Amino acid sequence: MDLNAEVDNLVKVSQTWVPMIMEYGSRVLLAVITLAVGWWLINKVTRKLGALLALRNADLALQGFISTLANIILKILLIVSVASMIGVETTSFVAAIGAAGLAIGLALQGSLANFAGGVLILLFRPFRIGDWIEAQGVAGTVDSIQIFHTVLRTGDNKTVIVPNGNLSNGIITNTNRQPTRKVVFDVGVDYQADLQKAREVLLELAKDERVLADPAPEAVISTLGDSSITVSLRIWVKTADYWSVMFMLNELARDRLKDAGIDIPFPQRVIRVVQEGAAQ
């Protein structure tokens, strides 16, 4: 009787546990396979992402950061998915992650905005290291582009640190982006001056090896002012030669115009003093 009872118990146990083991065993096996394959795919995808960023000449720091961040996020999602496959309740886990992410985002919203701006700058390259830019009320040469800020060096050798969030959302003037620049040199001459002669003098100044032949230099009468007529010399130069040519024109224009008998007037005012006795 005892032997029969033990056999009956074994049969009952086998009928209860064997199907459960088969069911959960297949789930665990499938979860392990999914985890292994998913882990391998994630590593491969993130390596491809790093290679793509390298092809776009993204900053090395940005390449490593984005690849690592994508790898971590994808692996967290994979682990949550595998946990749900074996029957683990993941709703509360996902809610906790979401709440933590929201709290961190609110606490670091300024830093996150700067980080996002840095990513956009490094990806789309509105400027590069060595470019002279004007943005956020400052102008200078770009010394370095960091994740959270960009470092500028002004013309008088001051260091200015500009947050990337403001920089990426504002207007940026990049004077080095184009290979050539247009020099507009204005000079005022007397109303009695020979305008044709003044134009010839300015065009003579444009015969410099740094001035490009195409587009051709031109001298035009741009404005009629209160005390002078503005003659404008418009020439094209290589971007690197812009300031040296502008300084050359400032230095030579006065003497050449003076030698040609053309005066450069300055504003004058006539003041009449009326004595009280004379007025009566």
Side-chain angles (χ1 to χ4, degrees):
M1 294 293 294
D2 294 337
L3 181 60
N4 293 332
E6 289 181 3
V7 171
D8 291 340
N9 289 333
L10 288 174
V11 170
K12 290 179 180 179
V13 169
S14 64
Q15 290 176 346
T16 303
W17 286 99
V18 170
M20 187 178 297
I21 292 173
M22 293 294 293
E23 179 182 357
Y24 282 99
S26 62
R27 288 186 182 182
V28 171
L29 180 61
L30 181 60
V32 170
I33 294 174
T34 302
L35 181 63
V37 174
W39 205 272
W40 176 78
L41 284 175
I42 288 172
N43 288 333
K44 189 170 183 178
V45 167
T46 50
R47 282 196 298 269
K48 291 288 187 182
L49 177 61
L52 178 62
L53 292 174
L55 287 175
R56 294 182 63 91
N57 296 322
D59 189 84
L60 291 176
L62 179 63
Q63 294 178 30
F65 184 84
I66 290 183
S67 299
T68 302
L69 182 63
N71 190 283
I72 292 173
I73 292 175
L74 290 174
K75 285 180 177 177
I76 290 175
L77 294 176
L78 175 64
I79 292 172
V80 172
S81 300
V82 169
S84 65
M85 290 175 63
I86 60 177
V88 177
E89 185 62 41
T90 58
T91 305
S92 58
F93 180 64
V94 173
I97 293 177
L102 179 61
I104 293 173
L106 291 175
L108 301 175
Q109 55 182 340
S111 297
L112 290 176
N114 290 332
F115 167 74
V119 171
L120 292 175
I121 290 172
L122 290 169
L123 281 177
F124 296 104
R125 295 285 186 174
F127 52 82
R128 299 175 184 272
I129 294 175
D131 286 352
W132 179 277
I133 66 170
E134 298 175 12
Q136 298 298 309
V138 295
T141 302
V142 180
D143 262 357
S144 64
I145 304 172
Q146 307 295 333
I147 291 296
F148 294 101
H149 60 265
T150 295
V151 181
L152 303 181
R153 186 178 72 256
T154 63
D156 54 353
N157 209 32
K158 294 178 182 177
T159 297
V160 180
I161 298 175
V162 185
N164 284 334
N166 297 334
L167 195 59
S168 63
N169 291 322
I171 296 174
I172 301 172
T173 301
N174 187 340
T175 60
N176 293 93
R177 194 62 176 267
Q178 302 299 329
T180 60
R181 284 187 68 180
K182 186 178 185 179
V183 176
V184 178
F185 180 75
D186 293 334
V187 59
V189 300
D190 190 85
Y191 265 89
Q192 305 302 320
D194 185 341
L195 296 182
Q196 183 60 32
K197 186 66 175 178
R199 293 174 65 249
E200 291 174 359
V201 170
L202 292 182
L203 287 173
E204 190 67 26
L205 289 175
K207 293 179 180 179
D208 187 279
E209 60 182 7
R210 293 165 295 183
V211 178
L212 302 179
D214 186 22
E218 61 177 352
V220 297
I221 309 302
S222 58
T223 57
L224 301 177
D226 293 335
S227 57
S228 65
I229 299 175
T230 302
V231 184
S232 180
L233 176 64
R234 304 181 179 188
I235 56 179
W236 287 86
V237 298
K238 293 180 179 179
T239 299
D241 295 330
Y242 178 86
W243 287 111
S244 61
V245 171
M246 180 65 79
F247 295 151
M248 179 270 294
L249 293 175
N250 280 321
E251 181 179 352
L252 299 180
R254 190 203 67 153
D255 292 340
R256 297 289 177 85
L257 288 171
K258 184 177 180 181
D259 292 342
I262 298 172
D263 292 330
I264 301 177
F266 52 88
Q268 300 181 19
R269 291 186 180 182
V270 178
I271 301 176
R272 292 184 58 196
V273 179
V274 179
Q275 296 182 359
E276 185 176 352
Q280 293 176 353

